[in-house]
Amino acid sequence: MNRKGKNILITGGAGFIGSHLVMMMVNKYPDYRIFNLDKLTYAGNLENLRSIEESPNYTFLKGDIVNADFIQNIFDQYLFEGVIHLAAESHVDRSIDSPNEFAMTNVIGTLNLLNSARKCWAGKFEGKMFYHVSTDEVYGSLGETGLFREDTPYDPRSPYSASKASSDHFVRAFFHTYGMPVVISNCSNNYGPLQFPEKLIPLMINNILKEKSLPVYGDGTNVRDWLYVSDHVSAMDLIFHKGRKGETYNIGGNNEMKNIDLVHLLCDICDEELSRSANSSRKLITFVKDRPGHDRRYAIDAGKIKRELGWEPGTLPEKGFRKTVQWYLNNGEWLNRVTSGAYQQYYQKFYLT
Ligand code: NAD
Ligand code: DAU
């Protein structure tokens, strides 16, 4: 693909995965002009992008994907030729508390982007791509065995996953109905630096550091498949540039763990890194009321992306978890800044009442 001078829109680039993606794209593809569109909700943190904010091929656009006029204006102005859409409300617990926000951002926001891309590209689809970044949660919940494949029927069970499933359906509908060049990926749980500490891993590390209780939902035996965020970014790079139009690619870490085993591992790594006595952090574990509708197990068959695009997770879990713990321990100031203000009220509501 000829990249020279192409304007690429990345939505949600101030969030966790988006900021890693934006940094990679700006550094790896100097010929692209990268536009990062983000509303800067509680989850958006522009400080994460300090290293590239002065780059000549990078522009930040503050805006809301729910605002159709704004989206149309930026498409008219910048004539984007590629879109990588990550902006979303992403936290399951928040979706249980306020599902409407999830429908607005994740469904209507996605539809606004599709409409404007379609209008801007006006049937001239050569060299264009709309890449929608989705989640494995659309497939529902697995029992003890089995893996999510690209043809697993959708069965979303939380307001978050229902909104992501709906957005996936709209993206596919634009492919079948209008011939829009689209591609979708459905990825498992990401972890790594810069993740907002409402999600399991940074929340646990932050609490261990501050010697607060570690809230494990239910009996802690729910299973997630963990992928280091840079591995997700390398998969996204391949899918955006080489993915087949109209296709879906599942992305996973091949790294299933029960929550309680993961929390034990984090406690033990932290004890070592902080030179605390063995088992001292495990004593902070508290089993709390389960998440309503808590999906039991997620696991991915990532065979298709391996066969078609040659992608496999490159980070060994032992290495990824240790690197992640070290990053949060070395970036206490970052943690303190993001855990102040609105986040504290949320934390208060979910864990302390
Ligand atoms: P995040 O919550 O860290 O970041 C979301 C970003 O979107 C934030 O910067 C936020 O400000 C922005 N945003 C929210 N609403 C917006 C709006 N209306 N207009 C413009 N910007 C808005 O999320 P994340 O964990 O980085 O996830 C990114 C994407 O990847 C999401 O679509 C999510 O569904 C998907 N995903 C996440 C994971 C994971 O484990 N985190 C796994 C698979 C897929
Ligand atoms: O599978 C991909 C999805 O992974 C993404 O689409 C979502 O955006 C992302 O938030 C994540 O969803 P989960 O609900 O799996 O992630 P979370 O970090 O919230 O929880 C991981 C597991 O840990 C889950 O089984 C719930 C449990 N948990 C979570 C928190 C925050 C706890 O036991 N205690 C906690 O305090």
Side-chain angles (χ1 to χ4, degrees):
M1 193 206 294
N2 178 16
R3 286 190 291 270
K4 196 101 194 126
K6 275 196 173 188
N7 288 351
I8 307 295
L9 175 66
I10 298 179
T11 70
F16 164 48
I17 301 170
S19 56
H20 287 277
L21 177 75
V22 165
M23 287 188 273
M24 181 281 289
M25 292 286 285
V26 166
N27 290 323
K28 183 171 174 185
Y29 299 110
D31 285 351
Y32 281 151
R33 285 197 292 264
I34 302 295
F35 292 79
N36 170 18
L37 160 61
D38 200 295
K39 183 182 174 184
L40 299 183
T41 67
Y42 78 94
N45 185 350
L46 277 185
E47 284 181 11
N48 297 346
L49 292 164
R50 263 197 200 136
S51 69
I52 51 98
E53 70 189 358
E54 305 285 341
S55 303
N57 63 335
Y58 172 73
T59 303
F60 175 67
L61 304 170
K62 185 172 186 315
D64 187 343
I65 57 171
V66 176
N67 182 340
D69 292 337
F70 168 76
I71 296 298
Q72 191 55 55
N73 286 340
I74 60 169
F75 268 88
D76 290 343
Q77 187 174 353
Y78 300 112
L79 304 172
F80 305 117
E81 295 186 65
V83 178
I84 310 182
H85 173 38
L86 294 95
E89 287 293 338
S90 70
H91 191 41
V92 174
D93 292 329
R94 287 180 190 258
S95 82
I96 294 166
D97 200 38
S98 43
N100 289 36
E101 259 177 67
F102 282 68
M104 291 308 290
T105 295
N106 298 358
V107 185
I108 304 300
T110 302
L111 188 52
N112 287 338
L113 289 161
L114 286 165
N115 281 328
S116 291
R118 179 176 164 236
K119 196 167 164 206
C120 178
W121 297 343
K124 296 191 191 92
F125 292 141
E126 191 53 42
K128 314 289 197 305
M129 182 56 99
F130 188 106
Y131 174 17
H132 177 61
V133 177
S134 191
T135 171
D136 61 354
E137 300 199 12
V138 299
Y139 298 120
S141 180
L142 290 165
E144 293 303 306
T145 56
L147 299 171
F148 295 137
R149 293 159 43 102
E150 286 79 1
D151 57 3
T152 300
Y154 274 33
D155 184 22
R157 294 153 41 100
S158 74
Y160 164 66
S161 53
S163 67
K164 292 295 290 187
S166 172
S167 63
D168 293 8
H169 291 318
F170 272 107
V171 174
R172 275 192 201 99
F174 271 60
F175 171 72
H176 291 294
T177 307
Y178 308 115
M180 278 249 308
V182 306
V183 68
I184 299 177
S185 61
N186 297 84
C187 186
S188 65
N189 288 61
N190 283 217
Y191 70 97
L194 303 175
Q195 188 168 30
F196 195 83
E198 64 185 347
K199 307 278 167 69
L200 181 72
I201 290 182
L203 182 141
M204 292 296 164
I205 299 170
N206 185 42
N207 286 15
I208 292 170
L209 192 57
K210 292 171 183 152
E211 297 181 83
K212 291 199 214 163
S213 71
L214 308 179
V216 174
Y217 297 165
D219 64 2
T221 59
N222 298 66
V223 172
R224 296 293 182 266
D225 170 12
W226 293 96
L227 178 70
Y228 194 65
V229 62
S230 317
D231 289 334
H232 189 186
V233 167
S234 67
M236 289 192 279
D237 186 9
L238 283 170
I239 291 168
F240 181 62
H241 290 103
K242 299 193 172 137
R244 283 189 294 133
K245 292 177 184 130
E247 291 292 319
T248 292
Y249 295 90
N250 281 355
I251 309 170
N254 202 15
N255 178 29
E256 283 183 58
M257 290 181 83
K258 286 187 181 138
N259 290 339
I260 189 65
D261 294 338
L262 174 55
V263 173
H264 282 154
L265 179 65
L266 296 172
C267 286
D268 296 347
I269 300 177
C270 284
D271 286 347
E272 278 174 38
E273 295 288 332
L274 292 165
S275 306
R276 289 182 182 166
S277 53
N279 289 325
S280 57
S281 297
R282 287 189 185 210
K283 295 193 183 105
L284 299 168
I285 292 173
T286 317
F287 291 93
V288 299
K289 199 163 138 305
D290 208 355
R291 172 186 280 175
H294 195 173
D295 287 340
R296 184 85 210 138
R297 175 173 163 259
Y298 303 144
I300 290 277
D301 176 347
K304 178 175 173 180
I305 187 170
K306 182 178 177 187
R307 281 190 306 278
E308 289 196 11
L309 304 178
W311 178 89
E312 281 186 284
T315 308
L316 292 172
E318 319 73 276
K319 210 168 167 195
F321 289 128
R322 178 144 325 243
K323 260 201 316 194
T324 300
V325 167
Q326 285 169 340
W327 187 88
Y328 287 97
L329 298 185
N330 291 332
N331 287 275
E333 258 308 294
W334 183 92
L335 263 177
N336 290 340
R337 284 198 295 274
V338 292
T339 50
S340 60
Y343 177 78
Q344 291 294 353
Q345 287 156 25
Y346 170 76
Y347 183 84
Q348 195 88 8
K349 189 165 168 204
F350 271 91
Y351 298 110
L352 305 181
T353 54

